[in-house]
Amino acid sequence: MNGPEGLIQSPEDITAPGALRIDRLSAFLRRFPLRVTALREAAALDGPPAQFALAGDAAAPLALFDAVDVRPALPTPDTTLLLAGIAFGGAGNPLLAALDRTILLPAGHDPRLAAILGALVAEWQDPHCGAAGMIERLVEAAVIRLLRSAVAGGADGPGLLAGPSHPRLHRTLAALHEAPERPWRVEDMADIAGMSRSAFMAAFRAALGTSPAAWLTAWRLAEARRHLDAGHTVKEAARLVGFGSAEALAHAHRRRMGQAAPPLSRRPG
């Protein structure tokens, strides 16, 4: 079946004939738009932090992404082809907070990545009209490919990256992330994972390091912050993410951040 990743059959995800892969990444991309904020020559290694780099031989380049700064991970700075600053929601994006290591993939990792990086090198080295926009889109495509690799690879310990790579829990996580406003029960979450309630609770804590309820609350708070930044009132944000009232949202915020946490409000500008 042709189409986006959310509609591609995947052997490890199929539990019944015709089952479709659960998209583990798009909820983050929709809520935290990924965009290139700056492109610069590799010679400018002493500039501001860069989150993406293209390095190595132009015929077989290497793509690197780091949520903070990719430059310390560059194999040899003098073979770096380009650097790019990437905006992806900052500290408010839980996926970025979970990426505690640099993601590194060679062009030979798969044909799709090779095609993206080959086009990126060509546009960078021989730019024509519209090259800046083309390069930005290709960098974004490369970063998404790197993020796919990180999500598929999971993590060594409990956390966000371990959940989406779990053969059953990733279905529940995708559903929670797509619709946090739903009145979720643990039984609903377990049903989506195809597990009993007790097995689901144990597997969730082992993989994510917390309970399903605590995970959902944290995601709702991140979503509420995004809505507040978009201009919604606290009452509106609470309704959009599944808190029963502005007071319930404020209470959850204080419980997570501590009683000394500043009150939730729209940020200026």
Side-chain angles (χ1 to χ4, degrees):
M1 179 182 296
N2 294 326
E5 184 181 359
L7 299 178
I8 296 176
Q9 292 187 343
S10 172
E12 73 271 20
D13 294 338
I14 291 176
T15 57
L20 299 177
R21 169 180 288 185
I22 304 298
D23 192 321
R24 314 169 197 208
L25 190 55
S26 286
F28 295 97
L29 294 170
R30 279 193 289 272
R31 287 160 172 78
F32 305 100
L34 189 155
R35 61 186 177 87
V36 174
T37 59
L39 287 165
R40 65 180 190 268
E41 299 283 349
L45 288 173
D46 56 349
Q51 289 73 46
F52 174 83
L54 192 64
D57 184 82
L62 185 70
L64 301 94
F65 176 80
D66 190 283
V68 179
D69 191 355
V70 75
R71 293 173 299 176
L74 291 172
T76 50
D78 58 340
T79 63
T80 304
L81 301 172
L82 70 90
L83 296 167
I86 303 292
F88 191 27
N93 185 343
L95 181 59
L96 285 188
L99 291 172
D100 57 357
R101 63 184 186 276
T102 301
I103 312 168
L104 182 154
L105 286 179
H109 178 78
D110 65 52
R112 292 183 182 181
L113 180 64
I116 293 169
L117 298 186
L120 181 53
V121 170
E123 288 289 335
W124 184 254
Q125 294 185 335
D126 185 24
H128 293 274
C129 57
M134 178 71 81
I135 290 168
E136 289 177 0
R137 300 296 84 76
L138 288 167
V139 167
E140 290 165 5
V143 171
I144 291 173
R145 184 62 193 84
L146 291 167
L147 292 172
R148 278 184 181 178
S149 175
V151 168
D156 295 332
L160 175 57
L161 293 181
S165 64
H166 191 282
R168 292 183 178 271
L169 293 181
H170 74 269
R171 303 185 185 101
T172 300
L173 286 173
L176 294 178
H177 293 164
E178 288 288 358
E181 72 281 358
R182 281 183 54 182
W184 287 100
R185 302 177 307 153
V186 173
E187 290 78 9
D188 300 329
M189 303 180 198
D191 285 346
I192 292 173
M195 305 170 73
S196 69
R197 188 183 192 280
S198 58
F200 171 76
M201 291 288 288
F204 197 100
R205 184 170 289 280
L208 279 301
T210 188
S211 70
W215 184 271
L216 178 58
T217 296
W219 181 256
R220 283 173 168 168
L221 287 171
E223 281 285 86
R225 178 73 270 168
R226 188 175 64 85
H227 287 303
L228 289 168
D229 290 347
H232 290 281
T233 65
V234 175
K235 182 177 181 180
E236 291 168 340
R239 176 180 57 81
L240 288 168
V241 303
F243 287 107
S245 64
E247 291 74 20
L249 169 56
H251 178 68
H253 172 66
R254 288 193 299 271
R255 285 192 63 183
R256 183 167 178 83
M257 305 301 295
Q259 292 299 318
L264 283 167
S265 62
R266 283 181 275 190
R267 289 172 179 161

